[in-house]
Amino acid sequence: MAIEKILKDDASEEKGERARMASFVGAIAITDLVKTTLGPKGMDKILQSTGRGHEVTVTNDGATILKSLHIDNPAAKVLIDISKVQDDEVGDGTTSVVVLAGELLREAEKLVAAKIHPMTIISGYRMAAECARNALLQRVVDNKENAEKFKSDLMKIAMTTLSSKILSQDKEHFAQLAVDAVMRLKGSTNLEAIQIIKKPGGSLKDSFLDEGFILDKKIGLGQPKRIENAKILVANTAMDTDKVKIYGARVRVDSMSKVAEIEGAEKEKMREKVKKILGHGINCFVNRQLIYNFPEELFADAGILAIEHADFDGIERLALVTGGEIASTFDNPESVKLGHCKLIEEIMIGEDKLIHFSGVEMGQACTIVLRGASHHVLDEAERSLHDALCVLSQTVNDTRVLLGGGWPEMVMAKEVDELARKTPGKKSHAIEAFSRALVAIPTIIADNAGLDSADLVAKLRAEHHKEGCNAGIDVISGSVGDMAELGISEAFKVKQAVLLSATEAAEMILRVDEIITCAPRKREDRM
Amino acid sequence: MALAFDEYGRPFIILKEQDQKTRLRGIDAQKANISAGKAVARILRTSLGPKGMDKILQSPDGDVTITNDGATILEQMDVDNQIAKLMVELSRSQDYEIGDGTTGVVVMAGALLEQAERLLERGIHPIRIAEGYEMASRIAVEHLEHISQKFDFGASNIEPLVQTCMTTLSSKIVNRCKRHLAEISVKAVLSVADLERKDVNLDMIKVEGKVGGKLEDTELIYGITVDKDMSHPQMPKQIEDAKIAILTCPFEPPKPKTKHKVDIDTVEKFQTLRLQEQKYFDDMVQKCKDVGATLVICQWGFDDEANHLLMHRNLPAVRWVGGVELELIAIATGGRIVPRFQELTPEKLGRAGLVREKSFGTTKDKMLYIEHCANSRAVTIFIRGGNKMMIEETKRSIHDALCVARNLIRNNSIVYGGGSAEISCSIAVEAAADKYPGVEQYAIRAFADALDSVPMALAENSGLQPIETLSAVKSQQIKDNNPHYGIDCNDVGTNDMREQDVFETLIGKQQQILLATQVVKMILKIDDVISPSDY
């Protein structure tokens, strides 16, 4: 009798060795894909979307690359997921986490081929990960107390993060921008308060941080272009025909004159509303919704600057910056908090007019204006800057700092090697493999820079046998250098997240011995 | 086959459209059914025990699930065969009843089917096999009762409960911090349990997950978390001693259900309507304020004006809260859900010691924590983990652990795990078999063999020599007359499960044996499979 079919027609099932191989192959393929973007001399990728217009993105950011891939392999999906989480949690290290997980699996594949059970490998990896984390914990530097030093730490971290991105040419400039912006947040991780405006034109070097707030809007016609000591009312209210919100209400009239009367009443209502708003004693009014011509005219008559259609984020930020509250009713002007700023003026960036609020009360928010040759450059610059901002804001909360340039990997590898020597049983092979996977990262960094990786890593390993060594790979000069002197630092939080999620993902994939794929849902062919 | 002849020798058709149906009868049908059942069991066999492997399941939409939980694997497997579907049902009913042991029950049923196949080949009638199994299962269940132990626990002594939950969790991917999760589960269950009535309402425990952080950051919150934020960005983010108004009516003008029209034909009417509308918003907010609420939680949305008024009167509010969460909040804070503003009274307000908004990571994800509630019975387990699949798997594991803890509170008997209970039952059933005259004897012996297959699978998955290990443990059990010897999966060095602290619940084990026997009986009794053939 034939083997019973228990699954549906198109479903497939892969067992044991084959399943494991399928997941290893998938994971390693993903790793190889992003491997070349690692490190300061990593290469970029061009992504072309299949959607309309075939938009092109040029990027170096692991999370962005992986997010855009259409993947069918389940193990590869796990890796993409960890990179996405890394992006959400700490913002940087999205490539490293995938590469480390991939290297761990590559090593595991060899062990499995040598007939070591996956469970043994997992327990070895766990021990190694714990040990590696402790090794890092012992070597962290925490400059929380010393503001001056801490700031220079932040600066170094920003430069290290940016050095692998498109901004590396002007990394000092941008690092300064990012550090300044984050320092203004005063410990909050709310990156919403930092607005990034992209304007094509000029060069990257022309980008600047603005202390105040820039709103990408135009000032209404006939209204003052410059206001000093502005009192701002931030509102979210309808300034078109103020709709009657009671359900089912409708206007039914029987003669033209009545229409005119009602229209008059409507106008009167709007006039009253504007009057009430004016009653707040303001000279600038920012609304989230549309402002119709009629009220706009009224505002212009009263010499008030009225800005319409500020998007929701813009309104929130503006409220945050100026210290006002978002108002929707205007009956009691004395209790509404108004926002203040020293100066509102229209400025020109490139060819566009923008509204600039300066001298704001609360210095938390700020705006970074990015300039660059093309949209692609600007997009990539924004992503890079976003990475740097994320890392910095996380570092402000968790002030522990490590050296960079492959230094943490070497430190971890050394400790893990020690552990392997002490551990009896088959686990020690797995622990050794873990340290090999760690060393793979500096190797890849060196390879990507076109250096002789075998030679460099061997030198590095020798250096690290001395106590308290700060050696790492100096990609610029192509040799082993002192990372502390070169000022290459990384945030502890990023490294820890890389280590833990990579181990977790590798473990998850290793535990699998069967893949069951359901029949893909039938879809209408839309092409 | 489907054709019979009447007394005149004319053929007539029994089964309509027989060409389009495939039909299997007699021994062929039974064999086909058994092999299908075995195939399902074979898939799950490698997931059993602390060293069991996981499965990747890819759904029709391409989503990936990685799991070790038998019920989940089978549910997502897109099974087509009828008998295989029975096995899926089997594991699901174990999941509903007990919550744990979903893999074990399928492996057990598979083993029973395998044994039955051999007996069928020897020409024993399936009904006799089924009856034999039935007797054997009764013996086994009684024996389990016999070797079970009761243990005491109380609110202060939770150690035994934690140990049992740890046994459950040790087979999952979360075993890295099983101690931590087991403690959380036990504390959660205890805080909602009614120890007098021995009842636990698991609905009161909410399991929430958010990607990011480490597994170790998973925490138990004595209160509720809601995946929402304050309706107005400038409302206070933290409220102490909150009095909560829980509303299911929107802060919007009324929308009567009957169709109606308000006709405006004069200027006066237009103006009165306007005033009314303003008054309406004002009244709504004022009402909440009047009863003394300091926080409004609403199932529906707010109008911009109402939102500002709320903000203005310093009354923080949360909108678009789901129905289930709303109920939980009501239970936790001791408040009543109020469907109309008119019915809002101070007694109907819920109370919570602390309400705060917390943000995560670099994205602007925010969650609302409602803690120190008046009624501390509702709790939330908040899971963190490296990726989405990890969180989902942790949720399932926590669910299993919660169920185990609940079962223990209902019935505090335990048996020892690691296959020791099965081995002990197998010995007892084997011994009892000789007392039965008749063909059933063979079936009972076969049942004993089938019981062995669980510890065998455990040993196999742990990388031990299955037959060698099993026979060693078995002889040890008989020699010392001690039912606590099991398979040493974790390589600790002792076979005594009492020393290793590996427990399982008695009802869980009993249910496994009973359910598996039932399904196998059902499968054995089928002798005709009629199904539409593939065209």
Side-chain angles (χ1 to χ4, degrees), chain A residues 263-479:
Chain A
E263 206 196 335
E266 220 168 59
K267 261 196 174 158
E268 197 51 46
K269 187 179 165 191
M270 187 44 72
R271 200 188 299 275
E272 228 169 82
K273 192 166 185 180
V274 173
K275 215 184 244 165
K276 269 189 207 155
I277 293 171
L278 296 184
H280 288 72
I282 53 166
N283 47 19
C284 175
F285 176 72
V286 185
N287 192 17
R288 188 170 83 83
Q289 297 174 25
L290 213 67
I291 303 179
Y292 261 33
N293 289 354
F294 177 60
E296 190 175 332
E297 188 192 316
L298 292 177
F299 282 124
D301 284 349
I304 285 179
L305 177 65
I307 301 163
E308 65 170 1
H309 249 208
D311 55 296
F312 205 83
D313 285 347
I315 279 284
E316 271 186 34
R317 265 190 219 121
L318 192 60
L320 198 73
V321 181
T322 59
E325 74 182 41
I326 301 172
S328 292
T329 58
F330 311 100
D331 289 328
N332 19 6
E334 62 283 350
S335 61
V336 173
K337 260 205 311 202
L338 296 178
H340 295 278
C341 78
K342 291 254 161 55
L343 179 69
I344 301 176
E345 61 180 341
E346 205 175 46
I347 53 163
M348 300 269 287
I349 297 177
E351 289 187 336
D352 296 310
K353 285 180 186 164
L354 303 162
I355 305 169
H356 181 224
F357 298 76
S358 55
V360 289
E361 260 186 10
M362 281 197 260
Q364 277 209 7
C366 56
T367 305
I368 295 175
V369 180
L370 285 180
R371 307 299 311 274
S374 74
H375 276 291
H376 302 306
V377 173
L378 282 176
D379 285 346
E380 177 65 1
E382 188 189 0
R383 274 191 293 273
S384 317
L385 200 56
H386 174 257
D387 279 5
L389 290 174
C390 287
V391 174
L392 289 178
S393 69
Q394 294 292 336
T395 318
V396 171
N397 285 338
D398 185 345
T399 51
R400 289 172 288 184
V401 173
L402 294 166
L403 294 177
W407 176 84
E409 281 81 11
M410 293 313 290
V411 169
M412 288 193 276
K414 189 184 155 208
E415 286 297 319
V416 171
D417 261 340
E418 291 280 310
L419 178 74
R421 256 175 253 150
K422 281 183 238 151
T423 313
K426 283 190 216 164
K427 273 181 215 161
S428 84
H429 291 288
I431 299 173
E432 234 173 284
F434 195 96
S435 109
R436 273 201 299 277
L438 284 170
V439 176
I441 289 193
T443 315
I444 294 169
I445 294 181
D447 273 341
N448 283 348
L451 304 173
D452 184 352
S453 60
D455 179 44
L456 267 180
V457 172
K459 266 189 204 156
L460 201 55
R461 193 190 285 269
E463 281 290 320
H464 268 267
H465 262 276
K466 294 177 202 149
E467 265 316 301
C469 149
N470 292 332
I473 294 182
D474 179 3
V475 185
I476 311 300
S477 69
S479 60

Side-chain angles (χ1 to χ4, degrees), chain A residues 77 88 245 269 324 335 511, chain B residues 54 62 234 274 277 312 362:
Chain A
K77 277 190 183 157
D88 289 349
K245 283 171 191 155
K269 187 179 165 191
S335 61
R511 278 175 67 102
Chain B
D54 288 2
Q234 288 166 325
R274 209 183 89 210
E277 185 191 278
H312 200 80
T362 60

